[in-house]
C-alpha cells in the first residue's frame, strides 16, 4: 500500500513539474479581450529622428496588468512584464505610427552572430488584426518584426503572418518603415504600419482594431526576455483576439491664444474742461478764505 501511495505521489510530482515547466504567462481572464485604449490623429508629420515631437505621437497610459512577460527563465517573467516602456501612438489616413522606448540592463546587442535567429535577437514584434478576428485565428492577422543588428545601422524586417496579402515587411520590404536608435542602454523604435496590412475597413475616427506590441531584449543565444502589451503573439498560441482593443480618435484641438494688446487710454479732457475745474477749485478756495 505504501509503495502504491509513493508511486501515486511521485506521479503527481512529475505531473506538477511538467506543468510548471510548460506553463507560459498569459493575461488574466478578466483582462483578456476586455482592455484597450484610444489613439489620437497626428497633428505633425511623422519624422523618425529619435525625438517624440508634440503632435507626432500621443502617450498611451497602459496598465501593468495588460502586459505579459515571457522568458527563457520563468523566474524572470515578472521582471519582463514590468519593463518600463514609453509607448506613444498616432495615426493618419494611411499609417499607424508607433513610438517604443525602453532601457535595459546590458544594452542593445548588435552582433547577429550571438543569436540563433531573428526572433531570438533584439527586436520588436507587432501584431494587428480586425477587431472581430476569430478566436485563435492564426491566419487572418498581421505579425511583423523589426530589428537593427549591426553597429553600422543595418536594419531588417520579418513577416510571420500576412492575412491581407500585402507583403508588408516580407523579405526586408519594410526597412523604410522603421528606425531604431541606441543611446547607451536606451533603445527607441519609431515604426509606421500601413492600415491596409491588417484591416479592410475605412480608416477614420471610430475605427476599431486589435493591436499588440512585443519587445524582445537583454538576451543572448537562447536567452531572451520578452515584454508584451497584450497577448497572442508570443509565449503561447497565436491568438489576435487577445491583442488590445484600439479605437481611432480625433486629433486634439489646438487652441491658439492671441496676444491682447492694451493701448493707453485716450486723453479726453480738453482745455475747456480743465479751465472749468480750475475755476471751481479757485472759487472753493475763495469761499474758505472769506469764511475765515
Amino acid at each position: 500500500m505504501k509503495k502504491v501511495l509513493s508511486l501515486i505521489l511521485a506521479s503527481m510530482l512529475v505531473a506538477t513539474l511538467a506543468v510548471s515547466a510548460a506553463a507560459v504567462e498569459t493575461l488574466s481572464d478578466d483582462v483578456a479581450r476586455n482592455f484597450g485604449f484610444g489613439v489620437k490623429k497626428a497633428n505633425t508629420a511623422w519624422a523618425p529622428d529619435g525625438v517624440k515631437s508634440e503632435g507626432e505621437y500621443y502617450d498611451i497610459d497602459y496598465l501593468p496588468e495588460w502586459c505579459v512577460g515571457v522568458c527563457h527563465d520563468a523566474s524572470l517573467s515578472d521582471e519582463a512584464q514590468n519593463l518600463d516602456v514609453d509607448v506613444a501612438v498616432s495615426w493618419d489616413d494611411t499609417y499607424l505610427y508607433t513610438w517604443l522606448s525602453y532601457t535595459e540592463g546590458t544594452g542593445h546587442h548588435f552582433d547577429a552572430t550571438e543569436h540563433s535567429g531573428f526572433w531570438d535577437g533584439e527586436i520588436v514584434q507587432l501584431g494587428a488584426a480586425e477587431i472581430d478576428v476569430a478566436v485563435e485565428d492564426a491566419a487572418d492577422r498581421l505579425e511583423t518584426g523589426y530589428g537593427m543588428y549591426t553597429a553600422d545601422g543595418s536594419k531588417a524586417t520579418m513577416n510571420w503572418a500576412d492575412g491581407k496579402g500585402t507583403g508588408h515587411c516580407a523579405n526586408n520590404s519594410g526597412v523604410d518603415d522603421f528606425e531604431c536608435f541606441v543611446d547607451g542602454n536606451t533603445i527607441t523604435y519609431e515604426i509606421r504600419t500601413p492600415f491596409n496590412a491588417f484591416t479592410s475597413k475605412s480608416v477614420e475616427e471610430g475605427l476599431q482594431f486589435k493591436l499588440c506590441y512585443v519587445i524582445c531584449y537583454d538576451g543572448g543565444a537562447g536567452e531572451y526576455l520578452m515584454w508584451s502589451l497584450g497577448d497572442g503573439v508570443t509565449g503561447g498560441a497565436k491568438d489576435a483576439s487577445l491583442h488590445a482593443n484600439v479605437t481611432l480618435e480625433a486629433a486634439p484641438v489646438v487652441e491658439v491664444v492671441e496676444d491682447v494688446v492694451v493701448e493707453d487710454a485716450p486723453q479726453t479732457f480738453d482745455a475747456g474742461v480743465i479751465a472749468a475745474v480750475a475755476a471751481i477749485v479757485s472759487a472753493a478756495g475763495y469761499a474758505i478764505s472769506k469764511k475765515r
Side-chain angles (χ1 to χ4, degrees):
M1 179 65 181
K2 290 182 178 180
K3 184 177 181 180
V4 173
L5 181 59
S6 297
L7 290 173
I8 293 174
L9 290 174
S11 298
M12 291 176 64
L13 178 60
V14 170
T16 301
L17 291 174
V19 170
S20 299
V24 295
E25 296 294 321
T26 59
L27 293 176
S28 63
D29 291 342
D30 60 332
V31 171
R33 303 184 181 90
N34 297 319
F35 71 103
F37 49 85
V39 172
K40 293 180 174 59
K41 192 170 186 179
N43 271 327
T44 302
W46 186 62
D49 54 6
V51 178
K52 186 172 64 174
S53 301
E54 184 176 357
E56 183 182 13
Y57 301 99
Y58 303 99
D59 293 335
I60 301 301
D61 296 324
Y62 63 90
L63 300 178
E65 53 263 35
W66 298 354
C67 302
V68 176
V70 178
C71 312
H72 67 284
D73 183 345
S75 67
L76 299 174
S77 61
D78 286 346
E79 176 184 333
Q81 178 186 2
N82 291 291
L83 179 68
D84 187 9
V85 183
D86 181 20
V87 182
V89 190
S90 66
W91 65 280
D92 63 19
D93 295 341
T94 306
Y95 292 101
L96 179 75
Y97 300 104
T98 300
W99 165 284
L100 299 171
S101 187
Y102 62 97
T103 300
E104 60 172 273
T106 61
H108 187 273
H109 298 143
F110 287 109
D111 190 355
T113 61
E114 295 180 2
H115 308 287
S116 59
F118 189 84
W119 177 84
D120 194 30
E122 295 254 348
I123 66 168
V124 163
Q125 287 177 261
L126 179 149
E130 302 279 11
I131 190 66
D132 53 356
V133 63
V135 175
E136 298 182 357
D137 190 335
D140 193 13
R141 62 188 176 86
L142 174 71
E143 184 181 338
T144 57
Y146 310 83
M148 185 177 73
Y149 274 133
T150 59
D152 66 3
S154 297
K155 299 182 294 181
T157 61
M158 181 74 72
N159 185 304
W160 288 280
D162 186 10
K164 300 304 178 186
T166 63
H168 178 59
C169 287
N171 300 318
N172 285 340
S173 64
V175 292
D176 292 333
D177 292 314
F178 86 101
E179 292 292 344
C180 177
F181 302 92
V182 179
D183 182 9
N185 287 0
T186 299
I187 296 89
T188 299
Y189 282 86
E190 295 192 66
I191 304 168
R192 66 180 182 184
T193 308
F195 281 103
N196 65 5
F198 62 86
T199 181
S200 301
K201 298 176 182 177
S202 177
V203 180
E204 58 188 4
E205 294 173 27
L207 173 66
Q208 293 185 309
F209 54 91
K210 293 285 188 176
L211 182 65
C212 179
Y213 295 119
V214 178
I215 295 174
C216 180
Y217 71 102
D218 206 16
E223 298 182 358
Y224 58 87
L225 284 77
M226 305 186 84
W227 169 93
S228 176
L229 175 54
D231 205 352
V233 169
T234 187
K238 300 294 185 180
D239 187 352
S241 71
L242 294 172
H243 297 358
N245 302 315
V246 175
T247 303
L248 297 185
E249 299 177 347
V253 176
V254 178
E255 296 184 1
V256 179
V257 179
E258 296 182 358
D259 293 335
V260 178
V261 178
V262 180
E263 297 181 355
D264 293 336
Q267 300 296 322
T268 58
F269 290 100
D270 56 23
V273 173
I274 294 174
V277 172
I280 295 173
V281 171
S282 178
Y286 172 78
I288 294 172
S289 177
K290 186 177 182 181
K291 185 176 181 181
R292 288 179 180 174

